[in-house]
Amino acid sequence: MSAANIVDQSLVAYVKYLKNERQASAHTVNSYILDVSQFARLACNLDLQEKHLDWAHISTSIAKNYIAALQEEKLSKSSILRKTSTMRSFYKFLTREKICPLNPFAQLKGAKKERNLPQVMSINDVEKLLSAPLSYWSQLYSKEKPDRQASGQFIAKRDAAILEVIYSGGLRISEAVQLTFSELDLLSQTMKIIGKGNKQRICMLGAPAIRALKAFFKFRETYGYPNNSKGSPVFINLKDGKEISPRSIQRNFKHYLTFAGLSPELTPNKLRHSFATHLLEAGADLRSVQEMLGHSSLSTTQIYPHITPERLLEVYSKAHPHA
């Protein structure tokens, strides 16, 4: 479902707010549209692609019944919590715009979310993973396809660099693939990352990550892709020189896990979890780690103070195993 198919003007206005003020991604906007449309369908038996809904007449009782309906559908607790949060945010917008006098979801908490500890890799396992791309591609093309050794080395050095960067800076995979040369500063050992909600933060580059990047840059130049074009992506496809997709990295990541003898359930995001855990275990303070990860708070209500890049670099240098 897209915004173009919606006739309900309140939801249309909310979509504009998400795009223009919140600068939400297309994926996030679509998720909100689906959640609000599901509420209208379940709670009021109404299709927002065909009719308008009088949102001011939705009571707390109707909101509670909606949550009960979600529970009857055997949705996970996290899904119910997300959908309840969506409706609470939607009504917060409606009350702000004076479309509705009250927020019927204001006091409803939905299902209590189960807190699962993130899967974390040991430092030894991280080392195995980070060394896997070079060994994997070297072995793959050494005998069977010697004519593809050069292209295999390109992929190997690119993937080795991107994994080092993810672990070095605690990046999300989407943040790593979107990294451009204008955001990369090898001299100061930093990266300017554009995270969720278009929030900017400074992330660190350890010595192994810098070495891996420089090794990859030599191959970029060999294939005619310059390393000085400020707006161009750092991590590219060999065939067309365009930004590599997260899906490509995730696919290769599975090969590296198997090659290194690691759990197939691990994901690139587990490197980010490991980054944070290893720093904390080595004595880094929680607020610094939160800043490095791009989290403004530990909860939705607690905001941490800003920490300068100099302080982040000091903490990082002392605590990160690949600094």
Side-chain angles (χ1 to χ4, degrees):
M1 180 183 294
S2 67
N5 299 326
I6 300 168
V7 300
D8 186 271
Q9 292 305 303
S10 294
L11 182 52
V12 170
Y14 184 54
V15 169
K16 290 181 180 179
Y17 158 75
L18 290 173
K19 291 179 178 179
N20 299 332
E21 293 189 38
R22 293 273 298 276
Q23 296 184 326
S25 67
H27 175 75
T28 298
V29 171
N30 191 53
S31 294
Y32 274 69
I33 291 174
L34 291 173
D35 285 347
V36 175
S37 298
Q38 183 186 40
F39 168 81
R41 191 168 58 254
L42 285 179
C44 306
N45 194 29
L46 187 145
D47 188 343
L48 297 182
Q49 292 180 298
E50 299 176 355
K51 297 180 179 179
H52 298 273
L53 179 60
D54 187 352
W55 298 100
H57 280 76
I58 301 299
S59 64
T60 300
S61 177
I62 293 175
K64 288 180 178 179
N65 290 337
Y66 167 66
I67 295 175
L70 294 178
Q71 292 170 336
E72 288 179 3
E73 291 192 356
K74 306 299 183 182
L75 268 66
S76 67
K77 291 182 178 179
S78 60
S79 294
I80 296 175
L81 188 68
R82 191 201 76 237
K83 292 176 183 294
T84 304
S85 177
T86 294
M87 293 308 301
R88 188 181 300 113
S89 298
F90 176 54
Y91 263 99
K92 185 176 180 180
F93 166 78
L94 296 181
T95 54
R96 189 193 78 167
E97 297 298 309
K98 301 188 185 307
I99 297 173
C100 295
L102 298 172
N103 185 343
F105 286 86
Q107 303 302 321
L108 301 185
K109 301 301 181 183
K112 186 176 181 181
K113 187 176 181 180
E114 295 176 329
R115 289 179 172 264
N116 297 318
L117 292 175
Q119 188 176 4
V120 174
M121 303 170 67
S122 68
I123 293 177
N124 184 52
D125 284 349
V126 169
E127 297 290 357
K128 289 180 181 179
L129 176 63
L130 296 181
S131 64
L134 298 177
S135 301
Y136 172 80
W137 290 100
S138 176
Q139 179 174 304
L140 184 64
Y141 290 146
S142 60
K143 296 179 180 179
E144 297 180 3
K145 302 176 181 178
D147 58 315
R148 298 188 63 182
Q149 285 185 11
S151 60
Q153 283 186 307
F154 180 96
I155 297 171
K157 291 185 181 298
R158 179 200 65 199
D159 289 3
I162 199 168
L163 293 181
E164 282 282 4
V165 165
I166 289 173
Y167 179 59
S168 186
L171 273 58
R172 301 176 179 91
I173 186 171
S174 59
E175 295 170 344
V177 299
Q178 292 170 8
L179 187 66
T180 66
F181 281 97
S182 61
E183 297 159 346
L184 193 65
D185 190 340
L186 299 187
L187 187 61
S188 67
Q189 298 181 246
T190 60
M191 307 172 274
K192 184 175 73 173
I193 300 300
I194 311 299
K196 288 185 176 181
N198 207 32
K199 294 179 181 178
Q200 296 185 12
R201 71 182 190 276
I202 300 297
C203 292
M204 305 302 147
L205 282 169
I210 291 177
R211 287 196 298 269
L213 283 168
K214 288 181 176 179
F216 170 54
F217 291 165
K218 290 182 180 179
F219 270 79
R220 277 184 56 112
E221 291 181 331
T222 300
Y223 282 88
Y225 300 122
N227 302 317
N228 56 2
S229 181
K230 292 297 184 180
S232 64
V234 172
F235 301 110
I236 57 175
N237 290 306
L238 174 59
K239 183 178 180 179
D240 55 16
K242 294 182 179 179
E243 178 185 299
I244 190 171
S245 69
R247 180 70 187 123
S248 295
I249 294 299
Q250 290 166 341
R251 183 172 58 249
N252 289 350
F253 192 85
K254 294 297 183 183
H255 295 315
Y256 305 146
L257 290 174
T258 301
F259 184 83
L262 300 173
S263 170
E265 295 182 0
L266 293 170
T267 64
N269 202 43
K270 297 300 187 295
L271 273 178
R272 177 173 155 88
H273 292 322
S274 302
F275 157 89
T277 301
H278 295 164
L279 283 174
L280 291 169
E281 289 177 345
D285 65 90
L286 187 60
R287 291 187 178 185
S288 295
V289 174
Q290 286 291 319
E291 184 80 5
M292 292 180 197
L293 288 172
H295 293 169
S296 58
S297 64
L298 283 175
S299 66
T300 56
T301 57
Q302 186 179 13
I303 305 298
Y304 285 106
H306 177 71
I307 300 173
T308 65
E310 291 76 15
R311 172 56 180 156
L312 294 180
L313 182 58
E314 176 186 351
V315 172
Y316 180 91
S317 299
K318 290 180 179 179
H320 197 289
H322 265 217

